[in-house]
Amino acid sequence: MSQSATALRQADPSGKEARICDPISLEIIRGAIAAAQSEMEALLERTAISAFIREKKDFYTALFDADGIMAVGSMVPIFGDMTSPVFETFPPDEMKPGDLYWYNDCYGSRGAVSHSNDQVLLAPVFKDGKRCAFVMSWAHFADIGGLRPGSISPDATEIYQEGIIIPVTKLADQGKVNEATLSIFHRNSRFPEQSNGDMRALMASVDLGVKRVGEILERFGADTVADAFSQLLDRTRKLVRSKLADTFDYGTHAFTDAIDGDGHGNGPFKIRFSLTREKGPDGEDRFLFDASESDDQAPGPVNYLMNRGVPGMALGLYYLGGDPSQVCNAGGPNALDDVRLREGSLLLPRFPAPLGMRGLTTMRVISAINGLLNVAGGGAPAANSAYVISIMRGNFRAENGNLERFLLADGIGVGYGARPDADGIDAVYFVAQENYPVEFLELGYPVRLRTYGVVPDSGGAGANRGGCGIVREYEILAEDAVLAVRIDSVKNPPWGIDGGMSGGTGKAIVNPGTDRERMLAPLSDGNKLVRGDILRIETGGGGGHGHPFDRPLAKVLEDVLGGYVSPEAARTLYGAEIVGSRIDEVATKRLRAQRPATSRFHRKDYVDALD
């Protein structure tokens, strides 16, 4: 809790602490700050130039109290303390209205931003000369220089190959923008006009946030708003700690997950988490999160510089569960008493280890936290696949006959893990990786989409089925292109739980079914394509939950008729004989009488624990 908010508590005549902000005003302010944060995102989405921001929605906004503690943010569980890096260079007490701060320095921010494409802008908000809040906008820029177009490549071996690094910088001084600094940044991009447009959109989003928060301060007063922030923070923290106590008994609970490799022949890399609940010296519960046993950092760019606020943020979002009466704030991270990392590990690499494809590892981190919850007796989903990234760069023939450069970065959805009470979600586009509509894709890039749908049998079999992955098949219309592809969970597919089976795996194939067919390495770059080639990408599915033979036959039939499960898989995995559009009850009864034995987890085979 911020000291400024704590100072606002007053004693009532009974000796109890009273609050300045009454319950009704609290809910109005909660809605107002959430609306301001959403409006900042809407402006950014509608005014940015690059498809990665405008179509993929790869951006994030947040509001903070006067001390830089997050009051409301997006539901993205991979970011931590965004303000302290700025405060260490520019003391808050010296800031003025109209100041604007900028950084993308991953190591300098201790993982607040976790790969260099992500640009962070932060501005203070004042009322009557008093600093009352901060607003932040963040977005992924498509190209900031580096080894290859797009600035992200499996080939990278150090962060210098991933584009220009911006330490915390004062971009605007009392409203006067440092255009010279911006020009250096844009000069490092292969697409400077796009970079300039995106930065202007990002700056406009911050300006709007300053205005909207200023209006809230004007209506309610600085003291009331500060107390509202404090109450919302307390509310979230208490909720998360209460849920942690419900899930985790006293002692240590541990879980291990893995990513396949780093694109340089190394791996697998194990992610080992534990959570300990113990009594502190004061008799209060202490919750300690430990990631220090995770494997050493990778030579390739799958390292994830995990800010210490991330585990609490992920657990907080799980427990909030979309509750509209709550807001995503620092209450989640503050619910944990300690987060332990080990320098030189996959989750706290030493500079200048590359970080560009850290998204692959963050997805495994989320699955590992789900596993930790399940080990402790929680009801989290089975594992999900890591969303697939393809980055295509090359040259196409424009209408005037000239060759022009293009950059297509496509994040493709996957299947999510089944839940104790429901199937996993099919074809999920992870937040900040929304679908490129076919019309947009074909109008904006030299490709034609030939196939787009779900991949049958990619969802892990179970009483509740894992979500299915996606197939996208592109015809290349460019003269030439070089492709980078990021697919994980091939050697270590997403685990199923309580009898549920692991999800299917992804793959990338060029010219499938022809004499020119070639399979691409799942994490690779430098794959050459030419006009007329067909690129087929299939993504993986989520793990199943519960014994497959316990799946209601009506659901198995529905899956088969809908193309999610093949008749062969229905027979061999679910013990259901499907003939045409009906169930053969006699054959099914015979099949289900031979019920296979299972264990707690499944990853290719059933095991009692993953290690």
Side-chain angles (χ1 to χ4, degrees):
M1 181 184 303
S2 68
Q3 292 180 351
S4 60
T6 304
L8 295 173
R9 295 187 175 189
Q10 300 174 339
D12 65 22
S14 66
K16 296 181 181 179
E17 286 184 325
R19 291 285 197 170
I20 292 176
C21 184
D22 63 84
I24 295 175
S25 296
L26 177 65
E27 294 307 309
I28 295 172
I29 292 171
R30 179 186 63 79
I33 61 175
Q37 186 254 344
S38 296
E39 190 179 358
M40 291 169 66
E41 291 190 340
L43 184 148
L44 182 53
E45 173 188 346
R46 294 171 184 174
T47 58
I49 301 299
S50 69
F52 230 90
I53 301 175
R54 192 181 70 250
E55 300 292 334
K56 286 292 180 186
K57 315 296 190 289
D58 200 344
F59 53 75
Y60 172 54
T61 65
L63 312 179
F64 305 82
D65 72 8
D67 297 317
I69 298 173
M70 190 172 77
V72 60
S74 301
M75 298 291 184
V76 185
I78 61 172
F79 300 101
D81 179 4
M82 310 295 289
T83 56
S84 289
V86 175
F87 297 168
E88 290 168 3
T89 304
F90 298 95
D93 290 343
E94 298 177 8
M95 294 179 178
K96 304 293 184 184
D99 288 351
L100 179 64
Y101 303 90
W102 171 29
Y103 66 89
N104 78 343
D105 188 342
C106 303
Y107 288 94
S109 68
R110 296 181 300 280
V113 58
S114 52
H115 71 181
S116 298
N117 289 75
D118 299 339
Q119 310 302 311
V120 176
L121 297 186
L122 181 78
V125 184
F126 290 81
K127 183 181 187 304
D128 300 329
K130 177 184 177 182
R131 187 187 74 252
C132 299
F134 290 89
V135 300
M136 182 211 73
S137 288
W138 161 102
H140 178 109
F141 278 48
D143 184 89
I144 59 166
L147 183 66
R148 291 186 184 272
S151 310
I152 297 176
S153 170
D155 289 346
T157 56
E158 59 179 15
I159 196 168
Y160 292 114
Q161 296 168 344
E162 297 175 338
I164 186 171
I165 298 171
I166 307 296
V168 174
T169 300
K170 195 172 190 180
L171 182 56
D173 187 351
Q174 298 183 66
K176 183 174 177 57
V177 176
N178 189 335
E179 297 291 350
T181 299
L182 281 177
S183 68
I184 295 171
F185 176 71
H186 299 319
R187 188 69 176 87
N188 278 270
S189 175
R190 297 171 178 88
F191 302 91
E193 292 182 358
Q194 183 181 90
S195 176
N196 181 59
D198 287 348
M199 183 59 76
R200 298 299 172 183
L202 200 61
M203 294 167 70
S205 174
V206 171
D207 286 345
L208 177 63
V210 170
K211 179 180 179 182
R212 291 291 182 258
V213 174
E215 291 168 351
I216 297 169
L217 291 165
E218 188 65 34
R219 177 178 178 185
F220 292 95
D223 288 349
T224 299
V225 171
D227 189 50
F229 286 171
S230 175
Q231 290 191 52
L232 291 170
L233 187 70
D234 277 352
R235 188 160 78 183
T236 302
R237 181 179 181 274
K238 288 177 181 176
L239 174 93
V240 174
R241 285 183 67 85
S242 172
K243 296 286 188 179
L244 285 170
D246 290 342
T247 305
F248 292 90
D249 201 355
Y250 290 101
T252 298
H253 311 264
F255 187 81
T256 299
D257 213 326
I259 62 172
D260 292 345
D262 68 343
H264 294 259
N266 307 293
F269 295 90
K270 299 295 181 69
I271 297 168
R272 298 182 177 91
F273 288 160
S274 69
L275 193 144
T276 300
R277 180 186 178 191
E278 63 184 22
K279 285 288 186 185
D282 58 359
E284 296 294 323
D285 280 349
R286 284 173 50 81
F287 296 97
L288 313 174
F289 188 94
D290 194 332
S292 62
E293 296 301 316
S294 297
D295 281 354
D296 290 345
Q297 68 188 61
V302 298
N303 301 290
Y304 175 33
L305 189 60
M306 187 172 77
N307 188 274
R308 293 178 189 276
V310 166
M313 184 66 74
L315 288 164
L317 290 178
Y318 170 75
Y319 287 129
L320 291 177
D323 183 349
S325 69
Q326 301 286 347
V327 293
C328 172
N329 61 26
N334 290 351
L336 295 177
D337 295 283
D338 193 16
V339 174
R340 297 169 182 169
L341 304 171
R342 177 175 61 85
E343 187 177 6
S345 71
L346 185 73
L347 302 180
L348 188 60
R350 292 188 179 93
F351 180 83
L355 308 172
M357 292 206 156
R358 57 85 172 108
L360 180 155
T361 308
T362 64
M363 298 301 289
R364 291 274 62 77
V365 163
I366 293 169
S367 283
I369 288 176
N370 283 345
L372 189 62
L373 287 160
N374 281 316
V375 164
N384 56 278
S385 282
Y387 64 92
V388 170
I389 293 287
S390 66
I391 305 175
M392 193 185 304
R393 328 85 157 179
N395 299 284
F396 70 98
R397 189 75 61 183
E399 291 184 0
N400 60 11
N402 295 332
L403 282 177
E404 294 187 10
R405 173 183 284 180
F406 77 96
L407 169 64
L408 166 59
D410 197 2
I412 310 175
V414 294
Y416 266 35
R419 295 155 286 179
D421 56 353
D423 289 347
I425 307 172
D426 302 303
V428 177
Y429 280 82
F430 183 68
V431 61
Q433 285 298 332
E434 290 193 12
N435 168 56
Y436 278 152
V438 176
E439 297 83 357
F440 166 79
L441 190 69
E442 295 185 346
L443 282 172
Y445 299 100
V447 297
R448 180 179 295 118
L449 203 62
R450 294 162 43 108
T451 303
Y452 186 26
V454 299
V455 180
D457 298 332
S458 56
N464 291 318
R465 174 179 59 77
C468 287
I470 290 173
V471 56
R472 281 171 83 92
E473 197 171 80
Y474 311 79
E475 179 181 353
I476 308 304
L477 304 180
E479 298 303 311
D480 60 85
V482 175
L483 176 73
V485 62
R486 190 201 80 186
I487 302 175
D488 187 53
S489 306
V490 177
K491 297 178 182 177
N492 297 278
W495 44 266
I497 189 169
D498 290 341
M501 303 183 75
S502 54
T505 60
K507 59 185 176 182
I509 313 169
V510 178
N511 299 317
T514 72
D515 57 4
R516 296 182 296 121
E517 177 178 308
R518 55 191 168 103
M519 186 80 69
L520 304 183
L523 187 59
S524 61
D525 205 340
N527 301 296
K528 294 183 178 180
L529 302 171
V530 297
R531 186 179 181 88
D533 278 345
I534 305 299
L535 170 65
R536 181 182 179 90
I537 296 179
E538 297 181 10
T539 71
H545 194 292
H547 199 298
F549 278 28
D550 291 334
R551 185 164 179 80
L553 293 175
K555 288 190 174 182
V556 179
L557 179 61
E558 182 181 4
D559 283 343
V560 170
L561 297 179
Y564 297 92
V565 174
S566 67
E568 295 75 19
R571 181 185 309 110
T572 59
L573 301 180
Y574 291 95
E577 186 70 50
I578 309 294
V579 179
S581 59
R582 66 178 183 84
I583 296 171
D584 184 328
E585 295 184 4
V586 174
T588 295
K589 185 176 181 179
R590 184 172 61 250
L591 288 169
R592 288 203 163 183
Q594 304 171 29
R595 184 184 179 94
T598 65
S599 296
R600 185 73 202 278
F601 294 99
H602 183 274
R603 174 173 272 160
K604 297 184 178 179
D605 296 302
Y606 284 109
V607 294
D608 292 327
L610 297 170
D611 53 26

